[in-house]
Amino acid sequence: MSIVDAKEMLLKATEEKYAVGAFNITNLIQMEAVVEAAVNKRAPLIIQTSVTPSKFLAPKVLVAIYKTLAESAPIPICLHLDHCIDVEYCKQCADAGYTNIMIDASKQVFKENIRQTKQVCDYCHGIGSISVEGELGTVSGVEDQVKVAEDEASLCDPKQALEFVDQTGIDIFAPAIGTAHGVYKTKNPKLDFNRLKEISELINGDEPKVPLVIHGGTGLQPDVVKKLVSLGGSKFNVSTELKHTLIDTTHDYISSHRDEYNPGKIDAAVKEGIINGIYYWIDILGCAGKA
Ligand code: 13P
């Protein structure tokens, strides 16, 4: 039951109005931590890697570790490639065994975004049930190789969203609604809830068809997260927070144990920090007990 199709996992979430946490990891300790937290909460899980850590660790190595952890876990778990702007690398990761691929051609003009996204969909659907995520509009901030300045960001046009979904054949859709990658500059960033509602009704109004993704989870207030989920967000991406936990916990541990040379203890501290962070997300996303 553990290695599954993301679309099925997220259609269930859309129908039952909860969201699945999609957590970006950069190393083995983080991957083990997110799996352990999700197993303890009996929550479905999406593990994500951005392109740089994917290339650094190698897709086949990541897939081997993912499969080893997922096969013995009593919950469904997917492995997702996040924000890839290169069609060929999307195909390489699909071949290696990632179960979801995000082609991010959102900086391209509409027609080119459709062309590249469809190319990845055709490839992934042709080699098996690999789900593909596409994005329309642009999410501001920095996510690995994708950088969008605030004044460059554009929100998703609901009518174009329908056309994009129909013409590409995507399984999962990320509409830009004002969330941002990285740390928010204000406590209450300006989000377009009505736009999300409209897109959700247009695409999934009659029955759930293409689950919606919310990017830029780090720093959003819990009531905002819950509102985004109630309006139809069923995959919720969190990345920056895990990087901060990894670096801050390592720094704090070493600062207070400067004479100790025991890497395992640093790893244990990082793992504990990540697990506690994931418990928080699983609780506010409402996916505890849904596996
Ligand atoms: P944050 O880094 O803001 O949590 O965003 C994560 C994300 O959307 C990854 O695709």
Side-chain angles (χ1 to χ4, degrees):
M1 112 123 159
S2 305
I3 290 173
V4 295
D5 181 335
K7 185 168 190 175
E8 289 310 309
M9 179 195 274
L10 296 171
L11 282 172
K12 180 175 182 294
T14 307
E15 190 147 339
E16 295 180 23
K17 290 206 179 307
Y18 62 88
V20 176
F23 303 108
N24 291 56
I25 59 97
T26 52
N27 67 19
L28 168 64
I29 303 303
Q30 286 180 315
M31 199 193 294
E32 285 181 340
V34 296
V35 171
E36 194 171 315
V39 168
N40 289 345
K41 289 272 184 184
R42 283 287 188 272
L45 171 68
I46 297 176
I47 301 168
Q48 306 197 139
T49 67
S50 304
V51 173
T52 303
S54 172
K55 286 187 174 168
F56 185 75
L57 295 166
K60 283 192 175 158
V61 172
L62 279 161
V63 168
I65 299 169
Y66 153 68
K67 284 194 171 156
T68 304
L69 293 173
E71 273 162 6
S72 58
I75 55 168
I77 309 178
C78 302
L79 179 64
H80 172 91
L81 177 69
D82 204 27
H83 288 285
C84 183
I85 55 174
D86 174 2
V87 169
E88 289 313 307
Y89 195 68
C90 287
K91 292 181 182 173
Q92 203 179 313
C93 288
D95 288 338
Y98 274 69
T99 63
N100 299 0
I101 301 289
M102 177 185 188
I103 169 72
D104 182 352
S106 61
K107 277 187 144 189
Q108 308 295 328
V109 294
F110 187 54
K111 277 212 160 103
E112 179 60 13
N113 188 353
I114 290 181
R115 193 188 68 78
Q116 291 188 17
T117 305
K118 181 169 175 0
Q119 213 182 333
V120 174
C121 281
D122 290 348
Y123 187 83
C124 288
H125 297 161
I127 61 169
S129 62
I130 297 173
S131 303
V132 177
E133 176 178 330
E135 178 171 307
L136 192 59
T138 44
V139 175
S140 71
V142 179
E143 172 50 44
D144 195 39
Q145 301 177 329
V146 181
K147 298 178 183 67
V148 179
E150 227 170 290
D151 56 2
E152 232 194 313
S154 62
L155 300 186
C156 173
D157 174 330
K159 299 240 160 41
Q160 280 196 332
L162 258 188
E163 196 182 334
F164 184 73
V165 166
D166 283 347
Q167 292 199 16
T168 55
I170 46 166
D171 304 283
I172 308 164
F173 179 49
I177 49 126
T179 56
H181 293 130
V183 177
Y184 288 96
K185 293 197 188 91
T186 67
K187 202 175 157 205
N188 294 305
K190 207 166 162 275
L191 309 187
D192 197 335
F193 295 108
N194 287 337
R195 190 176 295 262
L196 176 62
K197 185 167 182 276
E198 190 181 344
I199 293 167
S200 181
E201 281 168 2
L202 277 172
I203 295 177
N204 296 319
D206 301 333
E207 50 164 338
K209 288 186 208 80
V210 180
L212 303 182
V213 187
I214 306 295
H215 282 255
T218 299
L220 290 177
Q221 298 300 305
D223 57 327
V224 170
V225 173
K226 287 182 184 163
K227 188 162 176 184
L228 292 167
V229 174
S230 76
L231 293 174
S234 64
K235 173 175 180 272
F236 219 99
N237 287 7
V238 184
S239 174
T240 302
E241 180 181 312
L242 278 80
K243 291 180 196 153
H244 284 209
T245 303
L246 169 66
I247 291 169
D248 291 345
T249 310
T250 304
H251 174 268
D252 292 351
Y253 189 87
I254 293 175
S255 301
S256 54
H257 300 80
R258 198 57 200 95
D259 297 327
E260 186 183 274
Y261 286 83
N262 188 336
K265 289 197 172 178
I266 303 171
D267 291 345
V270 169
K271 194 171 176 185
E272 191 188 336
I274 299 280
I275 286 176
N276 288 331
I278 303 301
Y279 282 162
Y280 164 83
W281 278 102
I282 288 175
D283 287 341
I284 57 169
L285 296 174
C287 59
K290 298 290 185 182

